């Protein structure tokens, strides 16, 4: 399987090369040239397997330069004791039509681990295959969860360094503490004055800075990305849609071949796009319901075909979805329009004037597979309270956005297809909002709130979150976006 750029750069590259590069040289994203196909029998056979084996079957056809044994080995290593559930991505059913796909049993308690426990392994294996001798420095802009998950994935991995930028004041207490206390000799963490989009554009411009690349090459380094623009981030996420479907069949909610829906709390459009790719591979899915918070640029886009980022940016209680430029949408536009020229045009309009509009045909194609809705911060709190009261099940604010949007979708359309709410973070990552939602005083530092949430609900915090306050803070820097480049130089040339 080879990969080409969404912006039309001629030629194609292997999976290993696409993963090493992250972004294509023309600024586009790498996409596979075709979708491997899974029949109903293939999917039925997967139902009898565990997560690791399911993931290996889904990923192997995309990784042409890896043997099946290598892919099996990668999956066994990425999805092992580092997860606190044997099932890796278990489903918690709350009624005969609805379950929560829990993607937060990895080391950082958010769904980014599903990809970022795999990516460093894929990347170092790819470097070896391609005979690359230089070290790789991973640059990450994070709205909260990616940064920690990437740090945890890359900490002390030989031949790599990692530098993470997060928006100052744009992440939760627990998220910030998780990052600034990160262990590892090859890591650096830095706050940026501004919001996530400022941090992300800063990182993007560093990637396209040829002078910097030259200087770093002289020092034996090159830059790559762990953001979901990297194909190696997206690929592992396709697997859990298949796995979830199998769990629905095994639980008797579906007969193999029946369609199910997924409601996905969405920011950068990576998670939901991975699901859409699973559908292109043969997974029976009706609708993907795209759930946003007040930063509802995707709700408007899916409903009208107009993408317009020129709007107020809201800091919400689901910070990992506080995004106005959803990078992975570019891949969807490429797949549905099959026209790199048009995609380049839309992306340059977005960069230039902050808006583009797709044609009626593209919009119709999008609406065949996607529905969209949004939920306010208050609505998310109400959903946390409702699910806790009715089902004794605790969810976080991001998951609650999706839960509320699914309920509204079912109400509005009458579509009662069995559906999964994709649960993207442990409620313990967002203690303050969760406590407030269930009517408990939440005015205290993050680490005290963890103990309070345990006591009030009789649930247990994931182990890595329970002892955060005992760790020393290692990183306190904060820079303006224009100083990010100098920070990278300092880290790699002097650090
Ligand atoms: C990253 C993240 C999201 C958004 O996922 P995308 O792939 O960016 O759409 C949602 N919830 C949580 C908890 C996240 O960390």
């Amino acid at each position: 399987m080879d990969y080409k750029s969404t912006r039309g750069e001629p030629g194609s590259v292997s999976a290993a090369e696409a993963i090493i590069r992250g972004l294509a040289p023309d600024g586009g994203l790498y996409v596979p040239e075709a979708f491997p196909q899974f029949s109903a029998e293939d999917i039925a056979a997967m139902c009898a397997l565990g997560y690791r084996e399911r993931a290996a079957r889904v990923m192997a056809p995309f990784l042409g330069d890896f043997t099946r044994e290598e892919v099996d080995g990668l999956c066994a290593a990425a999805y092992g004791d580092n997860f606190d559930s044997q099932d890796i991505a278990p489903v918690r059913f709350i009624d005969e039509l609805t379950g929560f796909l829990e993607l937060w049993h990895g080391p950082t308690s958010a769904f980014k681990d599903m990809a970022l426990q795999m990516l460093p392994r894929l990347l170092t294996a790819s470097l070896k295959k391609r005979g690359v001798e230089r070290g790789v420095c991973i640059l990450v802009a994070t709205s909260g969860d990616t940064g920690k998950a990437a740090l945890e994935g890359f900490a002390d991995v030989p031949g790599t360094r990692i530098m993470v930028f997060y928006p100052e004041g744009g992440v939760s207490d627990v998220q910030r503490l998780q990052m600034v206390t990160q262990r590892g000799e090859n890591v650096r963490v830095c706050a940026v004055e501004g919001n996530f989009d400022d941090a992300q554009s800063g990182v993007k411009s560093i990637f396209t800075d040829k002078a910097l690349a030259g200087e770093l090459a002289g020092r034996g380094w090159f830059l790559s990305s762990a953001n979901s623009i990297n194909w190696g981030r997206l690929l592992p996420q396709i697997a859990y849609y298949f796995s979830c479907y199998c769990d629905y069949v095994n639980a008797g909610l579906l007969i193999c071949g029946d369609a199910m829906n997924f409601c996905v709390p969405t920011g950068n459009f990576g998670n939901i796009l991975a699901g859409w790719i699973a559908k292109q591979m043969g997974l029976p899915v009706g609708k993907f319901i795209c759930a946003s918070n007040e930063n509802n640029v995707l709700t408007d886009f899916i409903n009208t075909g107009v993408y317009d980022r020129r709007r107020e940016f809201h800091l919400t209680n689901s910070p990992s979805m506080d995004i106005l430029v959803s990078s992975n949408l570019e891949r969807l536009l490429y797949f549905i329009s099959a026209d790199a020229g048009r995609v380049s045009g839309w992306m340059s309009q977005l960069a230039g004037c902050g808006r583009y509009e797709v044609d009626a045909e593209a919009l119709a194609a999008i609406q065949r597979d996607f529905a969209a809705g949004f939920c306010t911060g208050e609505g998310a709190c109400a959903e946390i309270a409702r699910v806790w009261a009715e089902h004794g099940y605790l969810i976080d604010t991001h998951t609650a956005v999706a839960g509320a949007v699914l309920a509204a979708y079912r109400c509005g359309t009458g579509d009662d297809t069995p559906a999964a709410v994709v649960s993207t973070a442990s409620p313990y990552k967002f203690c303050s909002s969760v406590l407030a939602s269930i009517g408990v005083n939440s005015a205290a530092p993050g680490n005290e709130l963890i103990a309070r949430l345990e006591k009030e609900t009789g649930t247990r915090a994931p182990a890595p979150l329970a002892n955060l306050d005992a760790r020393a803070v290692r990183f306190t820097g904060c820079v303006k976006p224009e100083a990010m480049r100098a920070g990278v130089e300092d880290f790699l040339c002097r650090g």
Side-chain angles (χ1 to χ4, degrees), residues 110-112 145 265-271 320-321 398 424-425:
F111 96 96
K112 305 293 195 292
D145 292 324
T266 299
N268 232 340
F269 209 74
N271 197 354
S320 301
M321 296 153 67
H398 303 75
T424 50

Side-chain angles (χ1 to χ4, degrees), residues 295-301 306-309 311 323-324 326:
N295 296 297
N296 55 1
V297 62
L298 286 168
T299 314
D300 292 345
F301 174 68
V306 176
Y307 196 101
D308 193 343
R309 66 163 300 186
R311 59 179 72 208
I323 291 174
L324 291 178
S326 301

